Amino acid sequence: MRILGISAHYHDSAAALLVDGVPVAAVQEERLSRRKNDAAFPLAAIEWCLERGGLEPDELDAVVFYEKPMLKFDRILTTLLRAFPHSCRAFAQAMKNTVGEKIWVKGIIASRLGVPARKILFTQHHQAHAAAAFFTAPTRQAAILTADGVGEWATLTVGRGQRPADGPCRLELLREVRFPHSLGMLYSTFTAYLGFPVNEGEYKVMGLASYGKPVYAAEVRRLVPRTADGAFSLALEYFEFHTTARRSYSSRFLELFGPARDPLDPIDLDTAEGRRFADVAASVQLVLEELLIDLARALRRELDLPDLCLGGGVALNGCANARLLAESGFERLFVPPAPGDAGCALGAALVADRLHFGNPDRQLPDHPFWGPEVATADLARLADEDGLACHQVEEGALVDEVVEALASGAVVGWMEGAGELGPRALGHRSLLAAPHDAQMRDRLNLRIKRREEFRPFAPAVPAELADRYFQLPPGGVRLGRFMSGVFPVRPEWRPRLQAVTHVDGTARVQTVDATMAPRFHALLHAYGRRSGIPVLLNTSFNLAGEPIVSRAVEGYSTFRRSDMDLLVVGNALVRKARARTVERREAAE
Ligand SMILES: [Fe+2]
């Protein structure tokens, strides 16, 4: 059976193709269109998935959209009418945004793909999140918790999934919290207040939180009072996201926390104002963690299952995930590589396959590499056009050469195989560097990633050696598989891991599994033999404001436009002659 899943129209559109219950291809539209967080209907992603599967649209058994547009429209309309006339301007904007292609999804799919309407299915948004988390995890039954900004009405759900070896799969969402009460919206409101772009800047809030103290935790708790059933609500007088598109927090919010940060002002942590923003970030982070832990503990008691699958954009919060693993009572915590809306394309296809059509369960490959492949020949051609030498190197020699470059301070673009689904580069579209000195972090932040200095870089370590360098709780290696948890760096290693140790002594570690990414795993071991520490700095291969590179042409273009020294595509390698000049210039300075 051939099922195409689609997520679109909010942020991070994506498509995924499932053939006989197993993913064949999945990719975010941004990786092909080159527009970051592209929310358009993902025609390029769909086309690529079909091409990869060798299918024409009429060979599909079903096309599944990741949410119910009419239900979402109902939520938007109801919310705006409740706030009318205050919502007058937002109303006009929302109508413009919603009425039109977003609501007539069935028509778009039918007309653009030529698929008959009877083959077009819809899942609920959080059902797609839950399926993406549960059906991809190596567990037969688990509790499920999903949390994001909002889908149709639900913003958080708890439930249970079962994949028996000899019977039909089940996925039950037992309860939900409904819009406007939303942990995702709570965090996004603080993201906006702190001057970062919503849906993108949430990482920055988490990074900034490490510099602060949660001195405003009591104030944040006033914003999210607990409800009698153990869940939470938002005290709506502090918010405006549900009534206006202008801003998400109210004047009363500002009375509690002080003036919002102007996005154009840099955050100076040496000033009282800068520290106030860090303290506010630390406070919302703490309260989010408290809420999630309480919800998860209650679910653990209720369902008495040892495993928890976590989905939705909130599951990208690695600090909260680590605390959930350590404190919720669950023995194992599974977070998929794409817990956000992009992963819903795959989730929606899985809902259709396992639940709608009742197809038998299949154990899915436990990796995120479902995107377009890189071609070594493309790099050779591009380099040749530029007059740069492109060396095709035998595997062992390639690893040796890259290790030598890394050990001497080079920044290496590392591309191999199929690209990652989800926001994290996990060794197929990565920028790699030595993790030892703080100067490397500053160089990457200033010259390549061009981002705020308070944002940390992640380390990658062979899974079997992770515990030596990082304090991982039981289950931590699994959580680190897709870089989903933030854990302390062991104090004795912090001086040698400065570029990947955050100000609070933690790191968002990737525990690299030999079967999932064998070349990257081998590279880490080889680097360990050379430097004494098998850890590399691993950050996504992209420049600020651009999506992660997908094909060799984007990798090469990024290599040429930034302060990188070496580019590896498969077994081909290009070196920038400029690297030595830069070093000499630095030495002279
Ligand atoms: Fe979502």
Side-chain angles (χ1 to χ4, degrees):
M1 188 166 252
R2 294 132 169 192
I3 300 172
L4 180 74
I6 298 173
S7 65
H9 295 159
Y10 188 46
H11 56 94
D12 250 356
S13 296
L17 178 66
L18 212 60
V19 175
D20 296 333
V22 178
V24 167
V27 66
Q28 285 144 263
E29 185 72 0
E30 64 159 27
R31 305 286 158 90
L32 302 172
S33 71
R34 308 310 299 161
R35 279 190 294 272
K36 195 167 170 67
N37 302 119
D38 197 340
F41 188 76
L43 273 177
I46 292 169
E47 200 171 306
W48 179 79
C49 284
L50 292 177
E51 192 184 304
R52 177 69 201 246
L55 295 177
E56 292 298 324
D58 62 4
E59 294 175 279
L60 291 167
D61 295 288
V63 178
V64 200
F65 194 68
Y66 82 129
E67 63 184 9
K68 303 204 170 192
M70 287 307 286
L71 209 52
K72 185 169 178 169
F73 182 61
D74 173 63
R75 187 254 302 164
I76 293 169
L77 195 61
T78 309
T79 307
L80 291 169
L81 287 175
R82 269 184 200 150
F84 202 81
H86 184 53
S87 62
C88 201
R89 281 178 62 183
F91 189 88
Q93 190 61 38
M95 288 303 107
K96 194 163 143 258
N97 284 344
T98 315
V99 180
E101 75 164 13
K102 294 185 186 173
I103 197 168
W104 306 120
V105 171
K106 198 170 205 165
I108 297 168
I109 295 173
S111 65
R112 301 255 175 107
L113 301 186
V115 172
R118 65 182 163 75
K119 286 190 180 176
I120 301 169
L121 307 172
F122 294 86
T123 66
Q124 293 206 12
H125 187 109
H126 277 257
Q127 200 181 23
H129 274 312
F134 174 64
F135 289 123
T136 60
T139 173
R140 290 248 161 239
Q141 55 175 345
I144 300 170
L145 196 162
T146 65
D148 68 358
V150 62
E152 299 94 351
W153 278 102
T155 66
L156 182 144
T157 68
V158 292
R160 165 174 43 203
Q162 288 169 294
R163 296 169 41 213
D166 53 356
C169 295
R170 293 184 65 187
L171 194 151
E172 295 169 90
L173 298 184
L174 303 166
R175 285 184 301 284
E176 65 182 28
V177 176
R178 286 163 73 93
F179 187 85
H181 309 289
S182 162
L183 289 185
M185 296 307 288
L186 172 75
Y187 211 82
S188 298
T189 298
F190 279 93
T191 304
Y193 168 80
L194 291 168
F196 303 123
V198 169
N199 292 331
E200 274 181 67
E202 282 74 7
Y203 293 115
K204 301 184 185 183
V205 178
M206 201 182 82
L208 185 61
S210 301
Y211 288 87
K213 295 190 178 65
V215 295
Y216 295 98
E219 284 79 359
V220 179
R221 288 189 198 106
R222 279 166 64 180
L223 269 51
V224 252
R226 305 296 176 97
T227 50
D229 61 355
F232 63 89
S233 60
L234 292 188
L236 294 174
E237 62 270 30
Y238 295 104
F239 299 91
E240 285 186 0
F241 64 78
H242 55 301
T243 59
T244 164
R246 200 169 49 87
R247 69 174 188 185
S248 44
Y249 45 84
S250 71
S251 305
R252 290 195 60 184
F253 184 104
L254 295 175
E255 284 166 22
L256 278 184
F257 300 104
R261 179 181 153 247
D262 183 333
L264 299 175
D265 288 344
I267 293 179
D268 184 352
L269 292 161
D270 291 329
T271 65
E273 191 76 340
R275 286 194 296 278
R276 176 170 69 85
F277 293 131
D279 289 345
V280 169
S283 304
V284 69
Q285 177 65 30
L286 176 72
V287 173
L288 174 83
E289 291 169 7
E290 289 172 352
L291 279 158
L292 286 170
I293 289 167
D294 285 355
L295 286 160
R297 276 186 188 150
L299 194 61
R300 174 79 176 98
R301 282 194 300 273
E302 178 185 342
L303 300 181
D304 196 25
L305 293 168
D307 292 345
L308 174 64
C309 294
L310 199 59
V314 174
L316 288 166
N317 194 306
C319 295
N321 294 348
R323 282 198 62 191
L324 274 171
L325 176 63
E327 299 175 44
S328 67
F330 284 99
E331 288 166 26
R332 298 194 297 176
L333 177 57
F334 296 106
V335 179
D341 284 1
C344 284
L346 183 56
L350 286 163
V351 169
D353 188 74
R354 306 294 199 273
L355 305 176
H356 180 80
F357 293 112
N359 288 327
D361 178 53
R362 297 282 302 272
Q363 184 65 52
L364 300 190
D366 198 8
H367 66 70
F369 307 124
W370 302 112
E373 302 257 346
V374 274
T376 299
D378 289 348
L379 179 64
R381 181 180 48 77
L382 291 160
D384 187 53
E385 284 167 9
D386 266 0
L388 272 183
C390 176
H391 305 285
Q392 307 258 351
V393 194
E394 171 270 318
E395 185 70 20
L398 178 97
V399 166
D400 288 346
E401 193 166 346
V402 173
V403 160
E404 222 32 65
L406 287 164
S408 60
V411 176
V412 176
W414 178 264
M415 302 178 79
E416 66 164 293
E420 293 89 344
L421 178 68
R424 309 256 154 86
L426 297 166
H428 278 200
R429 299 291 184 274
S430 290
L431 279 183
L432 305 176
H436 313 298
D437 300 327
Q439 290 94 306
M440 181 56 84
R441 180 194 60 213
D442 298 341
R443 175 184 164 194
L444 283 166
N445 268 333
L446 282 170
R447 301 219 206 129
I448 299 183
K449 305 290 280 193
R450 294 171 196 141
R451 59 187 206 175
E452 300 84 349
E453 63 184 23
F454 57 83
R455 295 183 65 196
F457 287 107
V461 61
E464 66 276 16
L465 299 176
D467 192 52
R468 181 152 190 239
Y469 304 95
F470 305 95
Q471 288 170 345
L472 301 174
V477 169
R478 172 69 215 188
L479 199 52
R481 185 180 182 90
F482 305 135
M483 231 186 234
S484 306
V486 172
F487 301 106
V489 179
R490 290 196 183 276
E492 62 271 31
W493 291 104
R494 288 178 195 170
R496 299 287 323 274
L497 294 172
Q498 291 174 19
V500 291
T501 303
H502 201 19
V503 63
D504 58 359
T506 63
R508 198 181 66 202
V509 55
Q510 181 192 359
T511 52
V512 181
D513 180 84
T515 54
M516 184 180 109
R519 283 185 90 214
F520 188 32
H521 186 266
L523 181 73
L524 287 163
H525 271 287
Y527 185 75
R529 287 192 293 277
R530 170 69 170 77
S531 71
I533 302 181
V535 177
L536 285 171
L537 181 157
N538 172 19
T539 185
S540 55
F541 191 165
N542 63 309
L543 301 182
E546 296 182 6
I548 296 178
V549 299
S550 181
R551 292 157 294 201
V553 62
E554 291 122 23
Y556 184 73
S557 155
T558 307
F559 166 73
R560 293 291 281 165
R561 287 181 291 134
S562 66
D563 184 26
M564 288 168 56
D565 304 305
L566 204 66
L567 174 63
V568 178
V569 174
N571 65 346
L573 186 152
V574 172
R575 193 181 280 276
K576 209 183 280 173
R578 198 171 59 80
R580 290 223 163 71
T581 323
V582 172
E583 277 161 22
R584 274 204 296 274
R585 196 177 64 219
E586 277 177 349
E589 283 166 2

